Amino acid sequence: MMRVRVTRVFHQRGFTLVELLVVITLLSLVMLALGSALRTTAQTEERVDRRLLNTDELRVASGFLRSVLGRVSLQKRAGVNSIDESPYFFVGLPEEMAWVGVMPARYGVGGRYHFRLSVMSRGSGSALVLRYLPWIDGGGAPDWEQAASYVLVEGVTGFSLSYENANEEPPVWGAPWTLIDRLPQRVSIAIRATSGMWPDIVVPMRVLPASDPASDGATFGGSRG
């Protein structure tokens, strides 16, 4: 009886081109999804950082304006004889305001100063700038060319001011300020920047009693100078 020897032949099978293409396609999809997730995370972090920066800029600018406008001096100008001319160092226009105030000591330059708030061109854009120079007793109009400046907001695309006449009932807001026998009690500051529209900043303008010992008692912001 003959034995038939059966030899089993095992063939080693590799990847086909189609299978390789499928694997490459799946890996590409995974990498694309991972890249998209990383890009979204980076954009979210950038938006959060930008929002925090804008919030911090708003906080600093608002705090500085409240500090400066909350310490207003009622110093009168010398040589004012016309009854149609305001005796105060104050100009209230729709896009500019000038006054005499007390610089907060924490900014390193305490004392009375001339201030001027307006938008100025800076390079390729505009910025909200507060200019200031020391007030001199008996001095005339300030020379703004010699003034120092402090940039409050960069990239300003819109800026307007409105002043409150609280002697009316109800109080009336408007600009420019044309009353010569009194000064506004509050000012509303509207700012639009490249980062978006800011909430209006409404600042009470108050006189410190000790800031004007020579004042004749004119009322400004509800306080007696």
Side-chain angles (χ1 to χ4, degrees), residues 5-53:
R5 187 176 181 179
V6 180
T7 302
R8 294 183 179 180
V9 179
F10 295 93
H11 298 282
Q12 187 173 2
R13 182 174 178 272
F15 292 108
T16 65
L17 180 60
V18 174
E19 292 172 335
L20 186 61
L21 289 175
V22 170
V23 171
I24 293 175
T25 302
L26 291 176
L27 287 176
S28 299
L29 292 175
V30 171
M31 293 301 295
L32 181 62
L34 182 60
S36 177
L38 292 175
R39 186 168 57 253
T40 301
T41 301
Q43 291 174 348
T44 301
E45 291 180 353
E46 184 180 353
R47 286 195 296 268
V48 171
D49 290 342
R50 188 164 54 246
R51 181 168 297 180
L52 290 175
L53 181 62

Side-chain angles (χ1 to χ4, degrees), residues 48-200:
V48 171
D49 290 342
R50 188 164 54 246
R51 181 168 297 180
L52 290 175
L53 181 62
N54 294 338
T55 301
D56 188 60
E57 186 179 35
L58 171 61
R59 179 184 59 80
V60 172
S62 176
F64 185 79
L65 287 173
R66 292 180 188 280
S67 297
V68 174
L69 289 172
R71 299 167 61 88
V72 177
S73 173
L74 263 184
Q75 183 62 40
K76 291 187 175 182
R77 297 185 297 147
V80 177
N81 299 317
S82 174
I83 61 173
D84 297 327
E85 186 177 2
S86 174
Y88 301 107
F89 280 104
F90 182 82
V91 177
L93 301 177
E95 297 181 349
E96 180 181 311
M97 183 170 61
W99 71 100
V100 172
V102 179
M103 180 75 80
R106 64 176 174 272
Y107 293 100
V109 283
R112 278 187 289 191
Y113 278 76
H114 289 281
F115 293 103
R116 187 177 185 180
L117 182 67
S118 63
V119 172
M120 298 180 63
S121 298
R122 286 172 51 86
S124 59
S126 299
L128 181 61
V129 178
L130 181 70
R131 284 177 283 177
Y132 57 93
L133 71 168
W135 173 83
I136 300 175
D137 191 7
D143 182 6
W144 294 112
E145 296 296 328
Q146 305 299 322
S149 62
Y150 179 80
V151 177
L152 293 168
V153 184
E154 293 279 8
V156 173
T157 58
F159 172 69
S160 63
L161 296 161
S162 184
Y163 310 93
E164 181 191 42
N165 180 8
N167 286 26
E168 300 291 337
E169 186 59 43
V172 176
W173 289 85
W177 182 259
T178 57
L179 301 177
I180 63 174
D181 61 335
R182 68 179 71 98
L183 297 173
Q185 291 189 301
R186 292 191 297 172
V187 58
S188 177
I189 305 170
I191 302 171
R192 184 172 64 253
T194 53
S195 58
M197 189 73 180
W198 287 33
D200 289 354

